[in-house]
């Protein structure tokens, strides 16, 4: 290697070292800046809460007649966090007072702006607030938000709309509700719990079209809400001509003794998932004669069928624990004995 080449090589190493040191210093400075910024925001929030928390807490017991403090733009997110937390557990006069304060400080206006232009957290806080406020002027904006790709953003907008006008939401957004597979059934059911009356008829209407791609989701939602479904509808859904997923979903909501004949017919279905749901259904609506129909399932080749058959037997009020223990002791199939023993142990843990 020539002298010039060596000089160039050492210069390159030196520049790499200097660059590495420079990047390290830059990262340290960025970390210091971020920590300083976070500390400053935390101090600002504490100062805000020291003024507004006592004020909002006092409004839970009586309306506020005093002039409200001025609120800087950067404090609006702090207000939304505090106000939403209080609204979540408030009702009656307390909620009315909190909503009055929110309108007094222009929460409706700056919340709409945050929904449009804020970051994800600001948008969610603002959406929650508009729902709590029952803010009708925000209807179209929130409907647009239900179409967002982000399922958290969209489902929170749906919740706000239900709070604002459940009847209108049911009529306008039922197709979207059934189409949004990314909205978890349990979450949707929790939102609709206090608005079941508005959604019952649209959900029933959605069961009419057997070939609907959203039928199973409709039935799962009906199940999660524990809605009472006319027997005629469930009978139609239990028809053996229907697809397996529809039959399974229908068995899950078969809670009427008048459906017993149809449920029994599926205890020996070739698909083990159907046998599972049929066994569960017999546990809910079965008669004494169904004990002998469930016993063979204790020896089923599928573990879940054996388990649900055992659970169904124990769920029957007319089949005593002593009788179940006697049945277990007399079973010749080892898997059947083991399953009954397991379920008995779950019911009476040591």
């Amino acid at each position: 290697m020539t002298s010039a080449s060596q000089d160039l090589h050492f210069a390159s190493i030196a520049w790499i070292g200097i660059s590495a040191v420079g990047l390290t210093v830059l990262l340290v400075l960025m970390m210091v800046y971020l920590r300083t910024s976070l500390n400053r925001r935390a101090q600002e929030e504490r100062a805000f809460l020291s003024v507004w928390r006592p004020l909002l807490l006092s409004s839970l017991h009586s309306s506020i007649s005093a002039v409200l403090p001025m609120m800087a733009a950067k404090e609006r997110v702090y207000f939304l966090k505090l106000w939403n937390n209080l609204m979540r557990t408030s009702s009656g006069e307390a909620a009315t007072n909190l909503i009055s304060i929110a309108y007094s400080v222009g929460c409706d206006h700056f919340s709409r702006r945050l929904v449009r232009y804020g970051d994800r957290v600001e948008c969610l806080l603002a959406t929650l607030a508009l729902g709590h406020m029952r803010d009708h002027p925000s209807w179209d904006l929130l409907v647009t938000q239900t179409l967002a790709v982000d399922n958290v953003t969209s489902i929170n907008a749906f919740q706000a709309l239900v709070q604002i006008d459940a009847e209108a939401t049911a009529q306008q957004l039922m197709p979207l509700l059934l189409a949004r597979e990314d909205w978890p059934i349990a979450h949707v059911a929790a939102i609709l719990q206090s608005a079941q009356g508005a959604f019952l008829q649209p959900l029933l209407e959605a069961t009419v079209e057997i070939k609907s791609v959203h039928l199973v989701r409709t039935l799962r939602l009906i199940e999660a809400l524990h809605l009472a479904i006319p027997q005629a509808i469930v009978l139609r859904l239990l028809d053996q001509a229907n697809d397996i997923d529809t039959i399974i979903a229908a068995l899950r909501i078969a809670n009427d003794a008048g459906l017993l004949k149809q449920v029994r017919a599926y205890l020996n279905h070739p698909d083990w998932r159907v046998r599972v749901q049929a066994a569960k259904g017999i546990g809910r609506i079965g008669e004494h004669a169904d004990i002998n129909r469930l016993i063979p399932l204790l020896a089923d080749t599928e573990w879940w069928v054996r388990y649900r058959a055992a659970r169904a037997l124990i769920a029957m009020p007319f089949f005593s624990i002593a009788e179940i223990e006697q049945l277990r002791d007399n079973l010749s199939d080892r898997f059947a004995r083991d399953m009954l023993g397991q379920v008995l142990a779950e019911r009476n843990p040591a």
Side-chain angles (χ1 to χ4, degrees), residues 26-325:
L26 181 61
L27 287 172
V28 170
L29 290 174
M30 288 178 64
M31 291 174 64
V32 170
Y33 170 77
L34 288 173
R35 177 162 300 226
T36 302
S37 178
L38 288 172
N39 288 338
R40 185 179 68 253
R41 283 201 292 270
Q43 291 174 355
E44 291 172 350
E45 186 168 6
R46 284 195 293 270
F48 174 85
L49 292 176
S50 68
V51 174
W52 279 90
R53 181 184 281 127
L55 192 154
L56 292 184
L57 287 175
S58 66
S59 75
L60 299 178
H61 307 290
S62 61
S63 58
I64 301 296
S65 57
V67 176
L68 296 171
M70 294 292 294
M71 188 188 306
K74 62 182 179 182
E75 295 177 325
R76 291 169 178 171
V77 172
Y78 307 148
F79 176 85
L80 288 174
K81 288 166 62 178
L82 173 61
W83 188 86
N84 279 323
N85 281 334
L86 292 174
M87 278 297 298
R88 190 172 52 190
T89 56
S90 298
S91 59
E93 183 182 356
T96 299
N97 293 340
L98 285 171
I99 291 172
S100 177
I101 289 176
Y103 275 111
S104 296
V105 299
C107 184
D108 51 333
H109 297 294
F110 67 70
S111 289
R112 288 188 212 116
R113 182 171 180 80
L114 287 174
V115 168
R116 289 189 179 95
Y117 307 114
D119 61 30
R120 187 170 184 264
V121 172
E122 292 170 342
C123 176
L124 290 174
L125 287 170
T127 298
L128 289 173
L130 292 171
H132 287 314
M133 294 172 73
R134 317 293 197 266
D135 190 63
H136 285 270
S138 299
W139 180 270
D140 291 340
L141 174 62
L142 292 171
V143 169
T144 301
Q145 289 297 105
T146 63
L147 304 176
V149 174
D150 178 18
N151 71 323
V152 176
T153 297
S154 57
I155 200 169
N156 276 278
F158 176 78
Q159 179 175 354
L161 290 167
V162 172
Q163 290 174 298
I164 293 170
D165 191 332
E167 295 281 349
T169 304
Q171 293 300 319
Q172 184 173 339
L173 296 183
M174 180 58 71
L176 177 68
L177 168 61
L178 299 178
R180 292 285 315 222
E181 298 283 348
D182 57 335
W183 290 0
I185 291 290
H187 194 164
V188 174
I191 291 171
L192 302 185
Q193 202 62 52
S194 60
Q196 291 188 22
F199 284 83
L200 174 58
Q201 191 57 39
L203 281 170
L204 291 180
E205 291 171 359
T207 67
V208 172
E209 180 50 63
I210 290 291
K211 296 188 180 301
S212 168
V213 294
H214 305 306
L215 178 59
V216 172
R217 180 170 170 82
T218 303
L219 298 178
R220 294 301 302 273
L221 188 52
I222 287 171
E223 177 195 1
L225 289 169
H226 307 290
L227 296 177
I229 303 301
Q231 185 184 119
I233 291 179
V234 186
L235 276 172
R236 179 167 44 82
L237 295 167
L238 287 173
D239 192 300
Q240 296 190 18
N242 295 332
D243 64 83
I244 295 297
D245 289 336
T246 297
I247 292 171
I248 290 172
L251 285 168
R252 295 173 71 105
I253 60 171
N255 297 311
D256 191 319
L259 301 168
L260 193 51
K261 178 182 177 181
Q262 286 71 27
V263 175
R264 285 170 177 162
Y266 287 109
L267 285 173
N268 298 308
H269 194 275
D271 192 307
W272 68 269
R273 298 171 300 162
V274 176
R275 299 198 300 276
V276 163
Q277 296 306 326
K280 290 177 69 175
I282 294 296
R284 293 191 299 271
I285 62 176
E287 300 172 347
H288 195 280
D290 291 304
I291 292 173
N292 291 328
R293 292 184 173 92
L294 288 172
I295 290 174
L297 295 183
L298 294 173
D300 196 276
T301 55
E302 290 290 338
W303 187 92
W304 278 109
V305 177
R306 299 198 299 273
Y307 180 71
R308 288 303 174 186
R311 290 291 298 266
L313 284 168
I314 287 183
M316 291 178 162
F318 40 76
F319 198 32
S320 69
I321 296 300
E323 290 174 308
I324 293 173
E325 290 174 342

